[in-house]
């Protein structure tokens, strides 16, 4: 059953939209005026989380146990005293990229990915977080991780294997994909097959730029990433990646990517122009889908603006549930599709810039 409620993290607060009718209805608005970098609902116990990028007070973390009616502030993760990004530069959390639940057998575990590229872990339901030092102290960090669009590397993707909660995949922009098979005690780079055009050695073991990494929920060995340098797919849990971009077509650069629950060969991306430009390709917004593992891509444009369009869709601002997809853009447009992305309707064009979009379950 598909959801009729969207949770939007925006540059001016956290919004909930009821999309069951012909016109969307705003059912909740909190943290008005404050940027919300990421928001999600933990399905294990229906706890809602919001990461705030407060301009004056810094990074804040909030939790709701009543579906967004009331919120409480939780201390945000902090680097231990003495940790450094590089020699002489103290490590301070400058952005909360995302919050993600642990495994089903770890009801109190949560992860948060931050800038600079840290992974923080909680084992008390989010009351406290500790730095995963095995990743922070990985020998590749100081030599290979760096900032791209932002000042420092950002840990933007966290995947916990539904079959084994000790198996974790993370993605760092710019740093690469890393895998742990022992619950975060140790990590290995998983970037073979990826290429970083901006590096002296484009096939370096780290320093790749996965903007967002996702797995097929029912086929967790199939991973997809929208990378700065193309779209990549792995069928063996990230041990080898294959570039599946579209020569001559729009599918190459972008941030957002989604994969089908049941059909791991089916994925969606929202293409954009790379680097300092970062707008829709040709001034026309499209959603591209592959159904054959990236061999071919089809661009769907019905209902999307096809001229004078400057929309960009960030990494966490596309979500899928059943045949439904939704995304929000940096220019405040929010779109919904009920036919697997083939046609779209605009839910509104005057929202703040959108950082994250998530379907909420029916209540």
């Amino acid at each position: 059953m598909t959801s009729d409620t969207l949770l939007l993290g925006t540059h001016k607060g956290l919004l909930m939209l009821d999309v069951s009718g012909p016109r969307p209805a705003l059912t909740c608005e909190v943290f008005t005026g404050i940027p919300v970098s990421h928001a999600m609902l933990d399905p294990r116990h229906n706890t809602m989380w919001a990461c705030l990028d407060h301009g004056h007070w810094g990074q804040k973390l909030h939790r709701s146990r009543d579906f967004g009616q009331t919120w409480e502030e939780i201390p945000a993760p902090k680097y231990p005293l003495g940790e450094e990004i590089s020699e002489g530069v103290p490590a301070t959390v400058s952005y909360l990229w995302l919050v993600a639940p642990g495994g089903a057998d770890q009801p109190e575990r949560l992860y948060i990915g931050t800038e600079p590229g840290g992974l923080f872990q909680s084992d008390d339901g989010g009351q406290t977080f500790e730095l995963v030092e095995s990743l922070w102290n990985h020998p590749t960090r100081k030599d290979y991780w760096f900032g791209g669009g932002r000042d420092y590397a950002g840990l933007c993707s966290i995947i916990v294997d539904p079959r084994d909660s000790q198996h974790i995949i993370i993605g760092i922009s710019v740093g690469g994909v890393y895998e742990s098979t022992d619950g975060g005690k140790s990590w290995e780079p998983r970037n073979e097959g990826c290429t970083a055009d901006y590096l002296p050695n484009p096939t370096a073991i780290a320093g790749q730029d996965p903007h967002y990494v996702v797995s097929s929920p029912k086929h967790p060995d199939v991973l997809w990433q929208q990378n700065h340098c193309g779209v990549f797919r792995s069928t063996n849990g990230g041990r080898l990646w294959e570039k599946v971009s579209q020569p001559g077509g729009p599918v190459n650069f972008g941030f957002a990517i989604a994969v089908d629950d049941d059909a791991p060969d089916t994925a969606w991306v929202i293409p954009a122009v790379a680097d300092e430009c970062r707008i829709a390709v040709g001034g026309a917004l499209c959603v591209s889908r592959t159904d054959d593992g990236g061999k071919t891509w089809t661009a769907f444009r019905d209902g999307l603006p096809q001229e004078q369009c400057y929309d960009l869709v960030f990494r966490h601002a596309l979500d899928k549930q059943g045949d439904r997809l939704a995304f929000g853009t940096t220019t405040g447009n929010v779109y919904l599709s009920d036919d697997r992305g083939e046609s779209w309707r605009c839910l509104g064009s005057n929202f703040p810039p959108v950082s994250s979009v998530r379907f909420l379950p029916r209540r």
Side-chain angles (χ1 to χ4, degrees):
M1 181 180 294
T2 56
S3 167
D4 288 328
T5 305
L6 287 175
L7 182 67
L8 307 180
T10 82
H11 195 66
K12 293 293 181 181
L14 183 68
L15 310 177
M16 268 193 263
L17 288 184
D18 182 338
V19 298
S20 60
R23 292 185 176 181
L26 183 64
T27 60
C28 180
E29 179 183 2
V30 291
F31 312 123
T32 304
I34 302 172
V36 176
S37 57
H38 186 254
M40 69 88 172
L41 184 134
D42 186 339
R44 299 173 301 176
H45 25 62
N46 287 335
T47 304
M48 196 174 288
W49 292 89
C51 303
L52 276 58
D53 179 27
H54 200 292
H56 184 74
W57 301 108
Q59 303 306 302
K60 300 292 183 180
L61 182 64
H62 288 257
R63 176 176 68 190
S64 173
R65 297 186 186 276
D66 55 11
F67 216 72
Q69 295 181 46
T70 61
W71 292 82
E72 59 180 326
E73 183 174 349
I74 305 298
K78 292 183 179 178
Y79 282 93
L81 192 64
E83 293 294 345
E84 294 182 332
I85 301 170
S86 57
E87 188 172 350
V89 181
T92 302
V93 172
S94 55
Y95 200 71
L96 301 176
W97 270 109
L98 82 166
V99 54
D105 60 335
Q106 304 167 320
E108 297 300 308
R109 178 164 292 187
L110 282 169
Y111 296 103
I112 286 186
T114 71
E115 175 191 316
L119 179 66
F120 288 82
Q121 175 180 312
S122 172
D123 284 311
D124 57 9
Q127 287 297 122
T128 59
F129 286 88
E130 292 187 359
L131 176 67
V132 178
E133 295 191 1
S134 55
L135 182 65
W136 181 251
N137 294 325
H138 196 279
T140 59
R141 182 177 68 82
K142 290 188 176 180
D143 289 336
Y144 287 93
W145 302 9
F146 59 94
R150 299 178 63 90
D151 289 341
Y152 299 110
L155 200 152
C156 309
S157 307
I158 302 170
I159 301 169
V160 178
D161 191 329
R163 302 164 301 185
D164 176 7
S165 59
Q166 301 300 300
H167 183 208
I168 308 162
I169 301 282
I170 57 103
I172 299 162
S173 173
V174 177
V177 175
Y178 287 76
E179 177 188 42
S180 175
T181 58
D182 54 13
K185 295 183 178 66
S186 63
W187 298 87
E188 292 291 335
R190 296 298 182 210
N191 300 296
E192 186 176 351
C194 292
T195 54
D197 300 339
Y198 46 80
L199 290 178
N201 174 13
T203 59
I205 60 167
Q208 305 287 329
D209 189 3
H211 286 171
Y212 196 37
V213 185
V214 294
S215 69
S216 177
K218 295 182 181 177
H219 305 270
D221 287 334
V222 180
L223 301 173
W224 291 79
Q225 63 170 289
Q226 173 62 75
N227 188 294
H228 186 90
C229 299
V231 178
F232 293 83
R233 178 175 181 260
S234 172
T235 59
N236 57 4
R239 290 181 179 271
L240 181 63
W241 294 90
E242 177 188 8
K243 191 171 186 176
V244 293
S245 299
Q246 184 184 36
V251 175
N252 186 43
F253 179 84
F255 291 92
I257 188 166
V259 59
D260 193 85
D261 288 15
D262 299 307
D265 286 345
T266 297
W268 294 259
V269 296
I270 305 178
V273 180
D275 298 328
E276 71 277 5
C277 196
R278 300 191 177 195
I279 61 171
V281 178
L285 188 59
C286 72
V287 175
S288 291
R289 189 183 79 201
T290 178
D291 294 308
D292 55 11
K295 294 183 179 65
T296 61
W297 294 86
T298 301
F300 297 106
R301 303 177 183 275
D302 184 11
L304 300 175
Q306 295 302 294
E307 59 183 6
Q308 298 176 346
C309 174
Y310 301 92
D311 293 64
L312 181 70
V313 181
F314 281 148
R315 43 183 56 83
H316 304 131
L318 167 67
D319 197 20
K320 176 188 174 297
Q321 187 180 74
D323 288 339
R324 242 180 188 178
L325 289 95
F327 70 89
T329 79
T330 55
T331 51
N333 295 305
V334 178
Y335 295 95
L336 180 73
S337 170
D338 286 313
D339 56 6
R340 298 173 66 76
E342 296 185 12
S343 63
W344 296 85
R345 65 183 172 107
C346 182
L347 301 178
S349 297
N350 294 306
F351 293 103
V354 179
S355 302
S356 69
V357 174
R358 286 295 175 266
F359 285 104
L360 294 180
R362 282 181 181 269
R363 301 181 66 206

